[in-house]
Amino acid sequence: MGDLDRSAPVSTESCGFFAASLLEQRARRLVALQLDVLADCDPEPLHQMRVCCRQMRSTVEQFAAALVLPDQVSAQRLARIGSALGLTRDLDVMRHRLERHWLPLLPEREQAPLRKLLKQLRRERKLAFAITTDTLKGRRYLKLLERLQFWLREPAFAAMGEEPMANWFPDFQQVVLAGLFTLPGWWVERPHDPDGAIALHQLRRRIKRARYGLANLSDVAPNAFQPWIVKLKQMQTALGDLQDLRMLVLTFERLLEERPDAVLPILCSLVCEARDQAWLRWLEASAELRTAAGRQQLRQLQFNT
């Protein structure tokens, strides 16, 4: 993979070159992480690879109008790769929370059934990691990397891709914010009901896309963008905790032979407390963007080009 020349100031680059440079950085990161992920000695490389896939997908979507990419390099393919990595990562998060945070707090009568459940999760994680391994060694993933690396040697741009990036920063910002504030998750009042949980999960994914998109532009005006990127991450994390805890409850219901609150009453109370705390964090972090003034402030960030 050849290095793209970044000697010119960001603001004078073309839109296509700006986007290609972002993709090159993520492609290098993806390749660098692969061996550590397959070695499976530490869950962090898998998490970082999943994040990298999401960043690449966000970049492809955000700059679609500027790039002419090979068919094999698409947001849909990157999403499928991320999904193949996701189950293993989700099980890692679930097991870590149960083993490190909550197991030591439980009496022996709850530790025994929880250890049995953890044993089943370890079996499921082994099967999930086999899917991860097959994906990273599979033809589709390797073809995507090959075609992307070939494209990066001589990137092809659409007409917009030849335009100066300085003329288009606000438009690329609007691409990642479009439709964000009309999602029903902003009006959820009962976060633990199925419909509310689904709406919040969809909102979390959309907030994540906005955060990655703003991060792509942040070098231009870091003082303006960074506070919003931090705020969006706080919102995403709170909603992510809600989703993780929801999946944990569903896992209890799936794997335990009796009602979870009958087998693990103290653990279930800890889960309920954690859900309430996550919901309060969400309300606090999202307060500004649930006002017209806050939304307008985010839309009108100033670029120092």
Side-chain angles (χ1 to χ4, degrees), residues 1-176:
M1 190 185 303
D3 290 331
L4 296 176
D5 181 9
R6 293 304 301 267
S7 57
V10 169
S11 60
T12 64
E13 291 176 354
S14 70
C15 296
F17 191 87
F18 183 92
S21 298
L22 291 171
L23 288 174
E24 182 185 46
Q25 294 168 27
R26 276 65 188 268
R28 286 184 179 277
R29 179 71 172 146
L30 208 61
V31 171
L33 287 165
Q34 183 162 338
L35 286 178
D36 286 337
V37 170
L38 293 174
D40 199 24
C41 297
D42 181 346
E44 186 60 21
L46 175 61
H47 171 57
Q48 293 300 324
M49 178 174 271
R50 193 181 182 195
V51 169
C52 192
C53 283
R54 288 170 172 167
Q55 290 173 329
M56 291 180 72
R57 177 189 176 187
S58 177
T59 302
V60 167
E61 291 175 334
Q62 185 176 13
F63 293 94
L67 303 175
V68 180
L69 289 166
D71 291 340
Q72 290 82 359
V73 183
S74 66
Q76 293 77 12
R77 286 179 182 258
L78 288 162
R80 284 196 289 270
I81 292 168
S83 296
L85 305 178
L87 181 55
T88 303
R89 173 60 185 170
D90 291 344
L91 287 167
D92 284 341
V93 170
M94 189 181 299
R95 290 171 54 218
H96 183 271
R97 189 186 293 250
L98 289 172
E99 290 177 343
R100 303 290 180 85
H101 292 181
W102 286 332
L103 181 63
L105 302 177
L106 301 178
E108 182 57 36
R109 67 179 180 274
E110 290 194 33
Q111 287 192 12
L114 180 54
R115 287 194 178 96
K116 183 178 178 181
L117 185 146
L118 285 165
K119 186 175 180 180
Q120 177 61 29
L121 290 180
R122 283 192 288 272
R123 286 194 289 265
E124 293 186 3
R125 202 268 184 191
K126 184 176 181 180
L127 294 173
F129 188 72
I131 296 173
T132 296
T133 299
D134 289 346
T135 298
L136 297 182
K137 293 182 177 180
R139 180 181 61 84
R140 288 187 176 181
Y141 174 72
L142 295 176
K143 181 64 70 175
L144 181 148
L145 279 183
E146 177 189 354
R147 292 300 173 88
L148 178 57
Q149 289 171 343
F150 184 80
W151 181 85
L152 284 168
R153 295 189 190 104
E154 292 186 38
F157 305 143
M160 183 185 186
E162 305 293 348
E163 294 274 337
M165 188 67 189
N167 297 344
W168 292 96
F169 282 114
D171 302 275
F172 286 119
Q173 177 190 339
Q174 293 309 311
V175 167
V176 296

